[in-house]
Structures are given as structure tokens and as C-alpha cells.
Amino acid sequence: MDQQPERREGRSFPERKGQKRKLEEGAVAAEDREISAATTDGAQALLCEVAAQVSVLNSAFSWQESDRAAAKRATQVLAELAKNEDLVNLIVDGGAVPALMTHLQAPPYNDGDLAEKPFEHEVEKGSAFALGLLAIKPEYQKLIVDKGALPHLVNLLKRNKEGSSSRAVNSVIRRAADAITNLAHENSSIKTRVRVEGGIPPLVELLEFSDSKVQRAAAGALRTLAFKNDENKNQIVECNALPTLILMLGSEDAAIHYEAVGVIGNLVHSSPHIKKEVLAAGALQPVIGLLSSCCPESQREAALLLGQFASTDSDCKVHIVQRGAVRPLIEMLQSPDVQLKEMSAFALGRLAQDAHNQAGIAHSGGLGPLLKLLDSRNGSLQHNAAFALYGLADNEDNVSDFIRVGGIQKLQDGEFIVQATKDCVSKTLKRLEEKIHGRVLRHLLYLMRISEKSIQRRVALALAHLCSPEDQRTIFIDDNGLELLLGLLGSTNTKQQLDGAAALYKLANKSMALSPVDAAPPSPTQRVYLGEQYVNNATLSDVTFLVEGRTFYAHRICLLASSDAFRAMFDGGYREKDARDIEIPNIKWEVFELMMRFIYTGSVDITTEISKDLLRAADQYLLEGLKRLCEYTIAQDITLESIGDMYELSEAFHAMSLRQACILFILEHFDKLSSRPWQNELVQRTIPEIREYFCRALTKSTTNLQSLRL
């Protein structure tokens, strides 16, 4: 169920697409050039501009001051143009790549050149910068590398070893590192080629460089090179990068600790042995410290990294919590930054898989924010929150807190985006259900007795869904939980009514007295079935009934055994006792015939059309078995439109099974009934019957369970 968020490599040069940043050495003056490719004329002018700058670069590869100045300016122009991604294709098609490549290295020094090298490092910096911008388009990464850029860029990383240290040196190193970052971004083969060209050792050394921008650029390059490349990861660690990276985590420069934690995150990703080395090197506490950083990017990376650490072993999970990670992670859950919430939920989810941490996370206030995240429309965030809650549900000490804050309703009512989240929530509810016994149940019953009304109702709702059948009578009859649910059902608040109805319906389904129609009770007199052949048969008939002017032949012995009504008719003081012909008013022939067929055979096929009239006759003649069959047939035809009439019918003829079916229908379809104008009146009428039904059903289910055990 655990889904680790995808790590990202990071990119350099964020100043694309309209974001302006002045070049360190001075931007090209705006009045010099204002070219647009939006028109044919603009595109042509741009091609001419690119061609002009390429021509300058191709002809100005020397130490002469005029050449250096021209080359510097040409690289700046091309870099400025390359910041607009829409122009990159034109720049590359204009032959800029090989021209820029030439200037990644210093020109040869000839006799007669000045001792002082004009614009030393600056042309190379401009070339590296422009190539890095072009490399943001993936289709040009390989082109640039195949032209031989990597060896020159790696050499530029070592410019500080030539004995000079200046702003220009720092800048060229930084631009070279940035270019390597963009060339290797999401390109596995180029990452490998950087290692083969010897690019990793100088980048690791630059982590200790005095200039913070160089440190940041070097870390950014290592972050990209380490992403999903095991050989690169191993070499970075072998070059002893970890101690410096861990020190960088404590930097006051947010950009530095962001890149450092990103490098470490990519190193440990899917590499358990490196993860152990990182922890052994002392990374845990600095990473936890970044959770409180003012930089959201660093917070995100730190939370993700802690989630990765937490998968190492149980002890590591405990150490993370002991060192103070829980509270800042919970605070991050309430951030407006969606990714920050996603990463913190991921970390808490990993930590919550350890029994020692589960109660601590809940006690620190983690339940509420995690439950709130279930409302997110971000699938990853929602799933990470659900997984964390799944972990917390494993601890008995958290069950009452889950219920007290409305967690059960949140889990049941949530709209979950992906199937994995739905499965996770189902397993969480199952975990909670398995813990509703013993001291957990006693605590919940205590809360249901003494807490404020809203908590009492939440407990009753949760127990209706989660308790075992054997505890239903204790909870809902002895401890008054049923009255809490009925109070919700009778509320004027629609949501409370819906919750109450759903809980009562679940409770009914979990009891052992579920069937809408019970089996007919035994007759007070022994039954004698003469059989189908004697139905309306004059043979041995000793009584006839006149129904709608037609004669129906019957047998007293069969009628006497069928019901108390016929016994009273023939054994009592009624005039029918000695009559040979008895007139039956107010009953249709078809109804009477079916009733008599039931008396003679014990069974009959009942259609929906005749079921109500037959119910009336069965009630009149006290034929309980036939009455139940009629109730069953009528119950199959209950609809949203007919429920009111059906309930009145059950009351008119004391049809208990039909009434129970109506009650269950009302509870099951309460949400659809709530829009009907007569719904509230119907509910208020049925509440006493619902109470009686559950008192009878829950008592019966407990008795049945006890009998089964015996």
C-alpha cells in the first residue's frame, strides 16, 4: 500500500520563459536589440543575428583584446536569446553549438600576446552558460555532448587549480557545473559519460569551495548525476562527499541545504547500503532540523528523505521520532503547499508502521490533519494520508481517538481517487473493527456515557459499524447506544439523519435477526393438509361457502385445524356452527380460492396484484402462515413511492414482517427518501417501531449466539 513519492533531479537555469535575470557580467543593452520571431521578418532577422554572432565566435578565437571582447559579447547575446525556449531551435540551426564549443577552452597563447589575458574566464563562462540553456531541450543534449562538450566542461570545473581565484573563476566554474546538470538531466547515458570523463571528483571537491554559489552548483550537478545511476552514486560516496554534504545541511543558505539534501536523497534512493552509510555519517539530526527550515523546498526534501530513512529498520523509525521529527512533520501537514503536505504525510506513514511511534503520532495531534487530507483531490496526497492512518489504526490506544475526532465517518464517507487508496481505507476500517473489544470497548462505552453529546453520537455511530454481534445488546440496549442513534434519526439536521440511518441499517445487517420476513410461527392447532385433490371438491364435503354467488365445497375437519377463526366459527356459539351453506361477504372469489388452497395444501403462489387482498383475508381468518407469505410478496414490491402506503398497510393488519421490511427499506434508502416532502413525518411515525424492532432483534441475536456456543 505504501507508495513512495518520485524523487526529482532538479534543473539549473530557472530564468527561462519570461523570468529575467541580469547576467553577472552585464546584460546586453536593451536598446541594442529587440528581435521577435513572431513574424516572418522577425524570424529572418533573428537568423541573421544568430549568424552574425556565430561568425564572430568563429573568427575571434584569440587572446587579442578586441577578439575577446567580441567573443564575450557574442556569447552573451546567444545566451540572452536562448533564455526564450521558442528560439532555441533557430539558434542551434544557425550553427551556434560548434561555435560555442570552441570557446569552452582558452585560445592558444601566441608570441606577441599581452601578458595580461583580457577577459580571462569570461568568454568560457558565457559559452558554458549558453550551451547549458540550449541543453534544456532534451533533443540537443546528445548533440552538444557528441560535439565534445564534456571534457571541456570538466576542465572548467578545475579552473580554480590554476592558481587564480577571482569572481570570474567562480563564475566559469558555476556555469560549467550548471551546464553539466542540464546536459545530464533525465539522460542516463550522459550521466555515465560525465563519470567516464572524470567529472564527479572535481564536483565533489567543489562542495568545499569558498564561494557559496559554486557549492550550490556543484551540489546541483551531483544531485542530477546521482539520480537513478548506481555507478555514479557509488563514486560520489567513494570520493568522500558525505561528510561535506552533511555539513551543508546546516548551512544558513537555503539554496545550499536544499541542494545538499537533494543529493543525499538521490544517493539513498533504492540504495540500502548507501542509506546505512549516510545514517552512520550523522545525517539524521541535520535532516530533521531541515523540517523547520524557512525553505519549503528543503522541508519537502527532508521529509521525503526521512521517509526513506524510516524504511531501513524499526530502530531507525524510533530514532527519527525520538529526535523530534513528529511535531514539525505534523505542522507541515497543515501547510498550503500541496507537495509539502504530500511528503510529510509520506514520512509519517512510514514512521507509523512502527508500534512504538503510532500512539505518539496520534497524541501529538497527527490524526486530525491526516484525516483532513482525505478530502484532497490530489491522489498521491490522499493516498499518503490514508497509508499513515492505516499505520495509526494498528495501535489500540489510538482507536478511541480515531472515533472521538470523527475518523470513522471520514473514512466511510470519503471519495477516494485511486483504487489503492480505497483498499487502504478498507483495511484501516478492518483494523479498527478488530480492536473493538476488551479495554478498547470499555473505554468507548465510558465515552458514550460521560462525554458531550457530539462525542457520544460519534461513538455510537462508529460502534454500529464496527462492533461484533455479540456486543450489540450491551452497547445499544444496556448502554443506551440505540437511543443515541434514534436521536440522530429524529434530528432536523439532514447529515445527522443520514448518519443515523446508515448506522442503524448496518446494525440490522450485522444482527442475526436480519430477514425482512421471518418464518411463520407454529399454529396453535395441529395442521392437517387434505391435499390439492380436495380443494373445492364435493367428495366428503360437509360445508359449502357462497362467494360472489358461487359455491365452494369444503371440509370442516380441515378448516378446524387451520386457524382459531374457523374453530370459533364451527365450535363456538356462532350460527355458522350447524349451517350447511355459509355466505362469505366482502371477499373476491379469487382471493377466497387462494386462501382455501393454502388451508388444504400449506402453500400457494401469490401474485403482487392479489397479495394485499389476500393479506386482508389472511388477517381476518387468523392464517398466520398465509399472512407471512403475503407480507413477503408485498415487501418485494416496496418502492420509494409506495413506502408510505406499505407502512400504513402493515399497521392496519398488524403485519410485523412487512413492517420490519418497511423499516429496513427506510433505513437503507434514507438518502433518497430525504427529498420527499412526507419523509420527515414518516420517520417520526416509525421511530417507535424502529426502537421496538431493534430491541427485539438485538436481544434475539444475542440469545442465538449464546445458544450456538452452548
Side-chain angles (χ1 to χ4, degrees):
M1 290 190 296
D2 184 14
Q3 293 181 350
Q4 179 169 314
E6 184 68 30
R7 295 207 68 91
R8 293 171 296 173
E9 296 187 31
R11 285 301 282 265
S12 183
F13 305 128
E15 59 268 62
R16 272 203 180 277
K17 295 185 179 177
Q19 298 183 46
K20 304 224 181 236
R21 189 182 70 179
K22 199 172 183 182
L23 283 171
E24 202 170 333
E25 57 278 326
V28 177
E31 63 271 16
D32 286 354
R33 173 173 299 100
E34 188 65 39
I35 300 172
S36 171
T39 66
T40 304
D41 291 343
Q44 189 60 41
L46 180 59
L47 283 170
C48 291
E49 179 68 19
V50 171
Q53 303 309 321
V54 169
S55 177
V56 169
L57 291 175
N58 288 335
S59 62
F61 190 54
S62 78
W63 280 113
Q64 291 185 26
E65 186 169 358
S66 59
D67 283 348
R68 294 292 284 177
K72 174 186 172 183
R73 183 178 179 80
T75 61
Q76 290 178 348
V77 172
L78 291 173
E80 283 293 320
L81 293 174
K83 288 179 184 178
N84 184 340
E85 193 168 343
D86 294 334
L87 305 181
V88 168
N89 291 346
L90 288 171
I91 297 169
V92 174
D93 291 343
V97 170
L100 289 167
M101 292 281 300
T102 301
H103 289 271
L104 284 177
Q105 56 189 321
Y109 193 81
N110 299 318
D111 294 339
D113 287 338
L114 298 174
E116 182 179 343
K117 299 176 180 178
F119 303 108
E120 187 177 14
H121 310 299
E122 294 187 15
V123 179
E124 296 91 296
K125 177 192 74 173
S127 295
F129 184 32
L131 286 168
L133 288 169
L134 298 177
I136 288 183
K137 277 207 166 184
E139 58 266 35
Y140 297 134
Q141 292 172 329
K142 186 175 185 300
L143 171 67
I144 295 170
V145 170
D146 287 345
K147 293 290 185 181
L150 286 181
H152 297 313
L153 290 171
V154 170
N155 285 332
L156 291 179
L157 296 176
K158 306 172 185 176
R159 279 285 175 98
N160 61 308
K161 295 186 176 181
E162 295 177 2
S164 60
S165 178
S166 65
R167 182 177 176 182
V169 172
N170 298 348
S171 295
V172 73
I173 294 173
R174 177 162 61 93
R175 291 307 189 193
D178 287 344
I180 289 173
T181 300
N182 285 358
L183 285 167
H185 180 70
E186 295 184 354
N187 193 311
S188 180
S189 64
I190 293 179
K191 290 176 189 178
T192 298
R193 290 176 69 173
V194 172
R195 183 184 74 251
V196 172
E197 293 291 346
I200 289 178
L203 285 169
V204 171
E205 289 181 23
L206 291 173
L207 295 177
E208 300 187 48
F209 201 73
S210 57
D211 184 271
S212 61
K213 292 181 179 178
V214 172
Q215 291 179 33
R216 183 179 65 201
L222 290 170
R223 176 181 183 170
T224 294
L225 295 173
F227 186 69
K228 295 183 178 180
N229 191 302
D230 290 340
E231 291 81 2
N232 285 3
K233 290 181 187 181
N234 291 332
Q235 188 172 92
I236 292 169
V237 173
E238 289 165 4
C239 289
N240 203 32
L242 291 182
T244 308
L245 287 169
I246 291 170
L247 290 174
M248 292 169 69
L249 294 175
S251 171
E252 294 182 1
D253 186 331
I256 288 180
H257 57 61
Y258 166 66
E259 294 293 358
V261 73
V263 179
I264 294 173
N266 284 351
L267 287 173
V268 305
H269 181 67
S270 301
S271 299
H273 67 287
I274 294 180
K275 190 183 302 182
K276 290 180 180 179
E277 288 191 53
V278 168
L279 288 169
L284 185 54
Q285 197 62 53
V287 172
I288 292 173
L290 287 181
L291 296 177
S292 303
S293 167
C294 60
C295 173
E297 291 81 4
S298 292
Q299 287 180 295
R300 287 199 300 264
E301 291 290 338
L304 177 55
L305 187 51
L306 286 175
Q308 292 173 305
F309 287 160
S311 66
T312 306
D313 54 48
S314 184
D315 286 345
C316 188
K317 292 182 178 71
V318 174
H319 293 159
I320 292 170
V321 172
Q322 289 174 339
R323 289 169 179 253
V326 169
R327 289 196 181 277
L329 284 171
I330 292 173
E331 290 174 7
M332 288 162 62
L333 291 176
Q334 302 166 74
S335 165
D337 185 324
V338 174
Q339 289 185 331
L340 198 59
K341 290 188 284 194
E342 180 186 347
M343 298 306 173
S344 57
F346 167 69
L348 287 168
R350 285 282 181 89
L351 294 173
Q353 305 314 306
D354 182 86
H356 297 287
N357 296 338
Q358 291 156 353
I361 293 171
H363 181 72
S364 298
L367 263 178
L370 286 169
L371 286 166
K372 189 175 181 180
L373 293 182
L374 295 180
D375 293 330
S376 169
R377 302 317 298 159
N378 179 295
S380 297
L381 175 56
Q382 192 183 65
H383 183 80
N384 285 342
F387 182 66
L389 291 167
Y390 170 73
L392 298 182
D394 196 36
N395 192 301
E396 286 189 350
D397 294 328
N398 291 341
V399 176
S400 60
D401 288 331
F402 255 100
I403 293 172
R404 186 166 24 209
V405 300
I408 305 303
Q409 284 73 45
K410 199 80 170 178
L411 292 167
Q412 291 171 332
D413 298 342
E415 296 181 4
F416 305 112
I417 298 170
V418 298
Q419 186 60 44
T421 305
K422 296 175 185 177
D423 295 341
C424 184
V425 168
S426 296
K427 291 179 180 179
T428 301
L429 287 169
K430 185 64 177 175
R431 268 190 171 179
L432 292 167
E433 183 177 5
E434 291 169 351
K435 292 174 172 51
I436 306 295
H437 58 80
R439 69 180 182 91
V440 173
L441 180 57
R442 289 194 295 273
H443 187 203
L444 291 172
L445 292 177
Y446 175 75
L447 291 176
M448 200 168 71
R449 289 194 300 269
I450 60 92
S451 298
E452 60 183 58
K453 183 66 75 174
S454 63
I455 302 297
Q456 290 179 337
R457 286 172 170 173
R458 284 176 180 173
V459 173
L461 287 170
L463 289 176
H465 290 278
L466 302 180
C467 76
S468 65
E470 63 188 24
D471 294 319
Q472 289 177 332
R473 177 173 177 173
T474 299
I475 297 166
F476 296 100
I477 305 300
D478 301 343
D479 278 274
N480 221 31
L482 178 60
E483 292 305 315
L484 291 168
L485 297 181
L486 292 174
L488 288 170
L489 192 66
S491 166
T492 56
N493 181 291
T494 303
K495 179 66 168 66
Q496 290 184 352
Q497 287 182 319
L498 290 170
D499 287 342
L504 287 166
Y505 185 67
K506 179 70 173 181
L507 191 61
N509 279 326
K510 291 179 74 170
S511 73
M512 295 186 70
L514 289 180
S515 176
V517 180
D518 296 333
S523 172
T525 55
Q526 186 175 359
R527 296 186 181 185
V528 176
Y529 297 120
L530 291 185
E532 177 74 24
Q533 66 272 26
Y534 288 102
V535 176
N536 197 17
N537 190 332
T539 303
L540 300 178
S541 171
D542 54 3
V543 63
T544 57
F545 294 102
L546 299 177
V547 182
E548 292 186 333
R550 300 168 65 179
T551 300
F552 194 100
Y553 297 99
H555 307 79
R556 289 175 186 264
I557 186 64
C558 184
L559 299 175
L560 284 168
S562 66
S563 79
D564 290 341
F566 282 113
R567 282 187 65 129
M569 180 183 293
F570 296 123
D571 280 352
Y574 296 100
R575 60 185 175 83
E576 291 91 348
K577 177 178 180 182
D578 299 318
R580 172 71 185 178
D581 300 316
I582 301 171
E583 186 174 357
I584 303 295
N586 304 321
I587 296 182
K588 297 177 182 178
W589 170 267
E590 295 83 358
V591 174
F592 188 80
E593 183 183 30
L594 280 175
M595 182 179 76
M596 298 303 287
R597 190 174 299 279
F598 177 81
I599 290 171
Y600 277 77
T601 66
S603 65
V604 67
D605 292 330
I606 304 171
T607 64
T608 302
E609 291 73 23
I610 206 170
S611 58
K612 294 176 185 177
D613 289 336
L614 191 57
L615 173 65
R616 184 179 292 106
D619 182 68
Q620 179 180 343
Y621 288 96
L622 305 181
L623 297 167
E624 288 299 322
L626 179 59
K627 187 175 175 181
R628 291 292 178 86
L629 290 176
C630 292
E631 291 179 62
Y632 179 81
T633 301
I634 294 169
Q636 306 312 302
D637 200 38
I638 297 176
T639 65
L640 295 173
E641 288 71 27
S642 68
I643 180 62
D645 293 337
M646 296 297 189
Y647 187 77
E648 288 182 358
L649 188 69
S650 73
E651 286 186 313
F653 297 110
H654 196 62
M656 295 302 298
S657 293
L658 179 58
R659 195 176 309 174
Q660 291 173 13
C662 289
I663 287 171
L664 292 175
F665 185 91
I666 290 169
L667 295 176
E668 181 181 8
H669 301 281
F670 200 91
D671 56 336
K672 298 173 185 174
L673 288 169
S674 60
S675 61
R676 311 293 166 119
W678 41 261
Q679 179 259 1
N680 193 55
E681 180 185 350
L682 177 62
V683 169
Q684 297 304 325
R685 281 176 57 196
T686 58
I687 283 178
E689 292 294 339
I690 293 173
R691 178 184 289 108
E692 182 182 340
Y693 166 76
F694 276 101
C695 287
R696 185 171 61 252
L698 297 182
T699 301
K700 182 178 178 180
S701 66
T702 303
T703 303
N704 288 347
L705 275 171
Q706 292 171 346
S707 300
L708 287 172
R709 286 173 181 164
L710 293 175

